Amino acid sequence: MKKLFTILFFAFNLAAYSQPKEPILRIETGMHSTDGNRISTDATGKYLLTCSDDKTARLWDAASGVLLNTIRVPLGKRLGPLEGQLYACALSPDGKIAALSGWTGDEWDNTVCIYIINAQTGAFIHRIKGIPNVTLDLEFSPDGKWMAASVYGSYGVRIYETVGWGEYNRLEGYKNAVYNIAFKPGGGLASVSYDGKLRLYNERFELLVEKGGLPGKEVSSLAFNPAGNLLAVGYNDAADIDVRNATDLSLLYKPSVEGAENIKGGLNTVSFSADGSKLYGGGTLSKRDKEDDRNRILRCWTNSGRGSYEDMPLMKNNIVDIKPLPNGEMVVLGHYPDIAVINLQNDVNWYVSARNNNYSDINKSHFRINTSGSSFGVTPMKQEAYSFNVMSRRLQNEPSLYPSPVDINAGTTVTNWKGSDIPSVNGKKALFVNNSGQGLSTDISSDGKQVVFGSEFWLYLSDNDAKLIWKYYLPSSALTVNISGNDKMVAATLVDGTIRWFSMADGKELFAFYLHTDKKRWVLFTPSGYYDTSPGAEDFLGWHINNGPDDAPSFYPVSRFKEKFYRPDIIDAIFETYNEEEAITLANSRSTKKLITSEKSIREKLPPTVIINSPSSGSNISSNTVSINYTINSPEDAPAKNLRVLIDGRPVATERGLKPIAGQKITVTVPSKDCIITLLAENDNGTSPETNLYLKWTAPVAAKEEFIYKPKLYALVIGVSDYNNPELKLGFAAKDAGDFAGTIYKQKGSLYSDVIVKKLTNKEATKDAIIDGLEWIQKQTGQKDMAMIFYAGHGINDNNGVFYMLPVAADLERTRATCLNFEELKQTVSSIAGKVVVFIDACHSGNVMGSTKRGGTDINAVVNELSSTENGAITFTSSTGKEFSLEDQAWGNGAFTKAVIEGLNGKAAINGKNKITIKSLDAYISERVKELTKGKQHPTSVSPPNVPDFPIAITQ
């Protein structure tokens, strides 16, 4: 880290640039995506604050692990992956203020800043400017009066008053970076530095004691015990931990470092428990023989570090920070990144980890790619291999046999590339790689004339004479690179969990792929923001928009602009042009859909945003009525028109027609349980990003309260086999509908007080009858009831990409007049007061039923619409994107419906219980359909982000 900061900070810190105004694409999964750096807590232990290299800080509910707020800082372009990285965070004792810093502000100020931010809303309160290098640690004093910041290099520690945020003092005399600081209970401060010294200051921040001659030069961590008489110290370059007298820094004793004696940084992070009875340490120490990838050890010593110890394999990568909670629990942050809270018995209360795959295997042969670059295989760290075909969008859990990257090929040899600053090509040094961060990967073209290098910051292309052809600044480190067999593109796996493709001609990025760790949900996107996505993954990608150096940035999921940017055809065209701009032109020339091709920027067509001012997210409640103060911000030329209020993803009955006013107050009725209230504002440009309020129910709940009201189940069940057009005839769609209706009717008197079914099959399933049925289910379903909509039949997209369900009299030459527009279903779903579950088996014939001029069925877009936050339906579909849905005489149903019926009849019940939940039904359907179809069909299930899992049936 020392070399990185010194070279890069001063190499780039030459001239100030203005902050970029153009939107910046970012992956957002609800968790940090790259290195975790620091964790902080408030005085009561209610909140946790984490920060990361991914340029976000996140506020968590300490008891449950629920994410309460994602805090963003301005991003830059010139410094690529550096500007905005957060190395330090601190939460004020009252939990209201988040202080963030790292590589922050240098791009436009030439100096680093500290952002002082409202922890609940993310709004900027103040910006402390003029810090000469990156900030490595931030801490608030226990009384909240002071904030201390440690600075990289020899700049020491700066003390700020929290009233006005003026600088109070500078602690100088350091010869190297200060990596950790801690306020002493009762007053005073201690620091550790890579100059090999430990320093102690009094309450006036005057130096009292300076201690050298320590076991290591790189003193990395320290922690006072609650009584303020002990100080634990950890080292990055020595397998040692000291516990010292917190008055004169004399050595008192050494906790056992057994097992870490020869491991650099083995236990370099330390913390006492809240009562001081335990000492915890962590770092690089791991259980190498453990199969579980969570093998980094957290060690707990008894008797304040004097006693015996217990080792807990806990995190996926190095432990970087440990903090105590007042109730005796401990919170641990891992580099991976991952977060864990352990209780008094050292058992895990909750654990969350990154949702991106780790491609950092030392063996680079795990990344394989085909001739055109359209199909690849990769093996994430300690996981099974997967392969993906970009053109068919087919994801398979199996390895690829395509070529791996090589460092010897066609007469060219690359040496000294792994972990080196300067690799060599055919014996000649590639000097252009110097000072670009550590080399990580390489590959050679099929003819041996070109070489690609991936490093911590850059992607390079050189000739076989070690001369640079082009370079590209990467958003994160390139772990592996692989040139396609036709030498037209190079793909790279990055630390941020994305795989990105670049043109070999000029180095420009072509497109990127992100796969969630569930190995189901993925996003493909181009640098301009054109995208395709699997069901449930649309909001993993968003636009970050800077609002100036002193204001919080905005963030909008790409789904808010889907009308223009949802363009799977552009991604397909890249493999014909190998150029994004040309692919856009080609796709537009082929499309019969009315396209939005205006260059009007996203900034000029923004939806509103909503800020919840009170109560705070994570608040305890004991009343069924909650008053919410909120503010709506909307562009002047597109004022907010409406506000929607959702509870656990479903609309509140009283919200219809509510007109928002800035700073308005509303009162919402909530259930007697933990819940999430979501506010969504609308203007002519679209719907705001969701703003969530997490509330925890604390009042006693009567033991029988959950049985006072049994919900009713209303079901609209549609199935068409015998179409008027004999070419559309299906074998089992009508039978599927009848069998589904009979299955759910069995739930009458068990989970549901009543089951009311409106069934429309074959000749009954006219367009008018289906529309009447949608209106019926919307009106009948109350807020505590359940609605199910089941459709089995054909579904198509017209030339404009609009999805239609085909009633019995469907005429494919008169789609708009005779078929049911998806908007009818979407509007019904969004308006139903109760929970909504939709089953769609609408792809039996795929694209064979229409003329070649018609588009294929795009079921992914349908699912994403229905299951979005604003529509809120849990959606099950029979297959993904371009797949067929299969039916067979041997099954007596379509594969999907057969699995649904089996699951609802008990095979999807949770082990040891009689409940069948949304998640357990999804798991059963997924495996059963793959079994029936021998892997040819892959059903999907997507739940809106704020709808918790719940029982859908119980076994009889």
Side-chain angles (χ1 to χ4, degrees):
M1 181 177 289
K2 181 192 303 184
K3 184 175 182 180
L4 163 73
F5 282 139
T6 302
I7 292 173
L8 288 177
F9 191 83
F10 290 106
F12 288 124
N13 192 13
L14 300 174
Y17 281 61
S18 61
Q19 190 180 88
K21 294 183 178 180
E22 64 271 21
I24 300 170
L25 275 176
R26 302 283 292 166
I27 294 290
E28 174 52 56
T29 65
M31 173 57 181
H32 294 298
S33 61
T34 55
D35 304 356
N37 289 320
R38 296 287 185 186
I39 196 162
S40 182
T41 71
D42 65 311
T44 64
K46 183 176 182 179
Y47 301 113
L48 306 177
L49 181 70
T50 56
C51 68
S52 163
D53 279 5
D54 73 358
K55 308 176 186 182
T56 70
R58 296 175 191 262
L59 186 71
W60 308 84
D61 179 70
S64 64
V66 170
L67 177 64
L68 303 178
N69 190 26
T70 298
I71 304 172
R72 302 180 190 278
V73 299
L75 304 184
K77 282 285 190 180
R78 181 175 61 100
L79 300 184
L82 297 176
E83 178 62 55
Q85 287 188 349
L86 298 175
Y87 307 139
C89 67
L91 195 59
S92 61
D94 61 7
K96 295 181 179 180
I97 294 173
L100 306 175
S101 192
W103 203 297
T104 46
D106 175 53
E107 185 157 321
W108 39 88
D109 285 342
N110 266 344
T111 57
V112 166
C113 70
I114 300 172
Y115 296 106
I116 307 299
I117 299 172
N118 183 310
Q120 284 286 329
T121 68
F124 283 16
I125 298 170
H126 186 74
R127 191 161 65 98
I128 301 172
K129 297 183 287 185
I131 301 169
N133 211 319
V134 297
T135 307
L136 300 181
D137 195 16
L138 291 168
E139 299 289 342
F140 281 99
S141 61
D143 60 7
K145 184 179 179 181
W146 309 104
M147 183 184 73
S150 68
V151 185
Y152 189 80
S154 58
Y155 295 100
V157 179
R158 301 191 175 199
I159 308 296
Y160 299 93
E161 297 177 291
T162 57
V163 176
W165 303 103
E167 183 179 306
Y168 176 78
N169 200 352
R170 295 186 185 183
L171 311 184
E172 300 176 322
Y174 292 83
K175 305 299 183 183
N176 209 323
V178 178
Y179 273 88
N180 205 189
I181 47 182
F183 280 95
K184 183 179 181 180
L189 179 86
S191 67
V192 290
S193 170
Y194 271 28
D195 66 6
K197 293 183 179 180
L198 171 64
R199 294 169 174 86
L200 182 66
Y201 300 84
N202 64 18
E203 62 273 10
R204 295 182 300 277
F205 306 108
E206 299 165 335
L207 183 63
L208 292 176
V209 184
E210 182 177 280
K211 188 72 173 179
L214 303 173
K217 183 79 170 178
E218 298 177 0
V219 198
S220 59
S221 178
L222 79 167
F224 287 101
N225 70 338
N229 63 322
L230 300 177
L231 183 64
V233 183
Y235 301 88
N236 191 55
D237 60 344
D240 216 327
I241 291 179
D242 299 340
V243 177
R244 296 178 174 271
N245 184 302
T247 301
D248 60 12
L249 302 184
S250 61
L251 178 65
L252 297 177
Y253 54 90
K254 289 179 174 289
S256 172
V257 292
E258 182 182 5
E261 296 94 337
N262 299 311
I263 301 174
K264 182 179 179 180
L267 293 166
N268 62 352
T269 302
V270 295
S271 179
F272 285 99
S273 60
D275 64 0
S277 64
K278 300 174 184 177
L279 178 65
Y280 289 84
T284 62
L285 181 64
S286 64
K287 289 283 187 183
R288 297 297 179 186
D289 59 345
K290 189 175 175 63
E291 293 182 3
D292 190 344
D293 61 354
R294 289 173 57 184
N295 58 18
R296 290 301 194 274
I297 297 296
L298 179 70
R299 179 167 290 185
C300 173
W301 296 269
T302 61
N303 193 19
S304 303
R306 301 178 185 87
S308 61
Y309 67 83
E310 174 188 3
D311 280 350
M312 296 156 277
L314 188 65
M315 312 303 276
K316 290 187 176 183
N317 208 324
N318 301 344
I319 292 172
V320 296
D321 208 358
I322 311 168
K323 289 291 192 299
L325 296 174
N327 61 2
E329 297 174 347
M330 303 293 293
V331 57
V332 185
L333 178 67
H335 180 267
Y336 173 68
D338 44 2
I339 309 166
V341 169
I342 61 170
N343 61 23
L344 293 170
Q345 290 74 44
N346 289 333
D347 296 322
V348 177
N349 277 0
W350 58 263
Y351 170 87
V352 295
S353 66
R355 281 82 186 253
N356 49 284
N357 290 288
N358 181 359
Y359 300 124
S360 61
D361 202 310
I362 295 174
N363 181 0
K364 305 302 180 182
S365 67
H366 76 91
F367 183 42
R368 299 169 177 267
I369 195 167
N370 72 342
T371 299
S372 68
S374 64
S375 187
F376 68 91
V378 65
T379 306
M381 180 75 78
K382 297 186 180 180
Q383 295 184 43
E384 297 298 318
Y386 75 85
S387 58
F388 187 77
N389 186 303
V390 178
M391 296 301 293
S392 67
R393 312 298 199 260
R394 186 174 179 84
L395 178 68
Q396 294 179 288
N397 292 319
E398 58 184 41
S400 167
L401 298 179
Y402 296 125
S404 297
V406 294
D407 56 12
I408 301 175
N409 189 49
T412 293
T413 301
V414 181
T415 57
N416 201 37
W417 58 268
K418 189 181 297 184
S420 169
D421 285 345
I422 308 178
S424 295
V425 180
N426 292 328
K428 297 180 180 180
K429 290 185 177 182
L431 297 175
F432 55 82
V433 179
N434 192 26
N435 295 342
S436 69
Q438 195 176 66
L440 300 171
S441 50
T442 192
D443 194 23
I444 303 171
S445 63
S446 61
D447 60 7
K449 293 181 179 180
Q450 294 180 321
V451 178
V452 170
F453 293 103
S455 74
E456 289 186 77
F457 305 106
W458 294 92
L459 185 70
Y460 301 95
L461 180 69
S462 82
D463 63 16
N464 57 4
D465 204 33
K467 294 179 180 178
L468 179 67
I469 298 173
W470 54 252
K471 63 180 181 178
Y472 181 87
Y473 210 167
L474 294 166
S476 66
S477 303
L479 298 167
T480 315
V481 294
N482 196 329
I483 302 171
S484 61
N486 61 9
D487 294 335
K488 290 188 176 182
M489 60 170 62
V490 56
T493 63
L494 304 189
V495 166
D496 66 3
T498 62
I499 300 175
R500 298 181 187 244
W501 283 251
F502 304 86
S503 168
M504 287 285 284
D506 55 19
K508 290 183 179 179
E509 184 176 338
L510 299 173
F511 69 95
F513 173 79
Y514 165 79
L515 177 68
H516 191 278
T517 49
D518 62 13
K519 298 292 183 65
K520 293 181 180 180
R521 293 176 288 172
W522 51 262
V523 180
L524 285 162
F525 56 98
T526 73
S528 298
Y530 297 106
Y531 71 95
D532 190 14
T533 175
S534 68
E538 194 168 37
D539 286 348
F540 290 158
L541 185 67
W543 291 105
H544 171 109
I545 299 178
N546 290 327
N547 294 316
D550 296 301
D551 287 307
S554 304
F555 187 83
Y556 299 90
V558 291
S559 60
R560 299 309 191 262
F561 311 96
K562 70 174 64 182
E563 189 176 8
K564 177 177 180 179
F565 289 102
Y566 180 68
R567 294 293 303 278
D569 56 330
I570 289 176
I571 292 170
D572 292 341
I574 284 176
F575 293 96
E576 298 178 70
T577 64
Y578 294 92
N579 178 285
E580 186 196 12
E581 292 181 3
E582 293 176 12
I584 295 169
T585 301
L586 179 61
N588 287 346
S589 71
R590 292 170 171 172
S591 180
T592 56
K593 180 181 177 181
K594 185 178 180 181
L595 302 173
I596 299 176
T597 57
S598 167
E599 293 305 314
K600 191 174 184 180
S601 72
I602 289 175
R603 279 185 175 274
E604 297 175 40
K605 198 172 175 58
L606 292 177
T609 57
V610 182
I611 297 173
I612 296 177
N613 301 310
S614 66
S616 298
S617 197
S619 293
N620 297 330
I621 58 170
S622 57
S623 170
N624 293 111
T625 58
V626 177
S627 293
I628 302 173
N629 285 287
Y630 66 92
T631 302
I632 295 179
N633 298 313
S634 194
E636 290 184 6
D637 61 348
K641 293 183 174 181
N642 189 38
L643 179 74
R644 301 185 65 207
V645 183
L646 311 177
I647 296 179
D648 289 338
R650 297 310 305 156
V652 176
T654 57
E655 54 82 28
R656 295 182 180 90
L658 181 64
K659 299 298 181 183
I661 301 173
Q664 190 171 348
K665 178 179 179 180
I666 57 172
T667 300
V668 178
T669 301
V670 298
S672 302
K673 66 181 186 69
D674 294 357
C675 65
I676 296 176
I677 297 175
T678 302
L679 300 188
L680 295 166
E682 298 169 349
N683 67 5
D684 287 341
N685 296 334
T687 303
S688 69
E690 63 187 67
T691 301
N692 295 317
L693 175 63
Y694 173 57
L695 299 174
K696 297 188 285 186
W697 183 262
T698 58
V701 178
K704 296 183 179 180
E705 184 171 327
E706 61 179 300
F707 301 106
I708 292 175
Y709 178 87
K710 274 192 174 183
K712 292 181 180 180
L713 169 59
Y714 294 91
L716 175 63
V717 182
I718 306 160
V720 188
S721 294
D722 298 329
Y723 283 92
N724 292 355
N725 181 348
E727 295 182 3
L728 301 178
K729 184 177 176 63
L730 293 169
F732 294 101
K735 183 177 182 294
D736 284 350
D739 291 349
F740 178 83
T743 298
I744 61 172
Y745 195 76
K746 296 176 184 177
Q747 294 294 317
K748 181 176 180 178
S750 53
L751 183 60
Y752 307 102
S753 64
D754 198 2
V755 177
I756 303 97
V757 178
K758 183 181 284 292
K759 185 176 67 171
L760 302 172
T761 57
N762 289 332
K763 64 181 180 180
E764 301 168 335
T766 65
K767 179 180 179 181
D768 287 344
I770 295 173
I771 292 174
D772 288 344
L774 292 172
E775 185 175 1
W776 166 80
I777 200 168
Q778 176 185 329
K779 290 180 177 179
Q780 293 296 316
T781 308
Q783 195 166 2
K784 294 183 179 180
D785 297 327
M786 171 81 76
M788 291 186 187
I789 300 173
F790 178 95
Y791 176 77
H794 283 304
I796 63 169
N797 291 91
D798 71 3
N799 293 336
N800 293 318
V802 178
F803 181 78
Y804 288 87
M805 296 187 296
L806 272 59
V808 66
D811 181 348
L812 298 182
E813 299 303 321
R814 300 174 58 241
T815 307
R816 186 178 300 178
T818 64
C819 300
L820 190 76
N821 191 316
F822 168 66
E823 286 296 317
E824 294 279 0
L825 176 60
K826 186 176 76 170
Q827 290 174 15
T828 297
V829 163
S830 66
S831 300
I832 291 174
K835 295 184 176 74
V836 184
V837 183
V838 178
F839 299 88
I840 300 178
D841 196 348
C843 311
H844 286 285
S845 298
N847 202 23
V848 299
M849 59 189 165
S851 67
T852 57
K853 293 181 180 179
R854 296 191 179 276
T857 302
D858 184 1
I859 200 68
N860 289 354
V862 171
V863 175
N864 283 326
E865 282 278 359
L866 290 177
S867 59
S868 64
T869 301
E870 55 264 42
N871 294 319
I874 295 158
T875 309
F876 290 85
T877 60
S878 56
S879 59
T880 59
K882 300 180 180 182
E883 285 184 340
F884 296 103
S885 292
L886 305 176
E887 53 183 23
D888 193 289
Q889 188 71 37
W891 307 332
N893 292 105
F896 171 71
T897 301
K898 182 174 179 62
V900 171
I901 291 170
E902 288 178 352
L904 291 174
N905 279 329
K907 290 190 175 181
I910 299 173
N911 289 337
K913 299 181 180 180
N914 68 340
K915 289 182 179 180
I916 299 158
T917 70
I918 294 296
K919 288 184 178 179
S920 68
L921 181 62
D922 172 38
Y924 178 79
I925 293 171
S926 178
E927 292 305 314
R928 181 59 169 149
V929 169
K930 281 190 282 186
E931 177 187 346
L932 289 170
T933 65
K934 294 181 172 56
K936 295 179 181 178
Q937 182 177 329
H938 300 80
T940 65
S941 170
V942 179
S943 294
N946 294 333
V947 176
D949 193 25
F950 60 87
I952 190 175
I954 59 175
T955 57
Q956 303 297 314

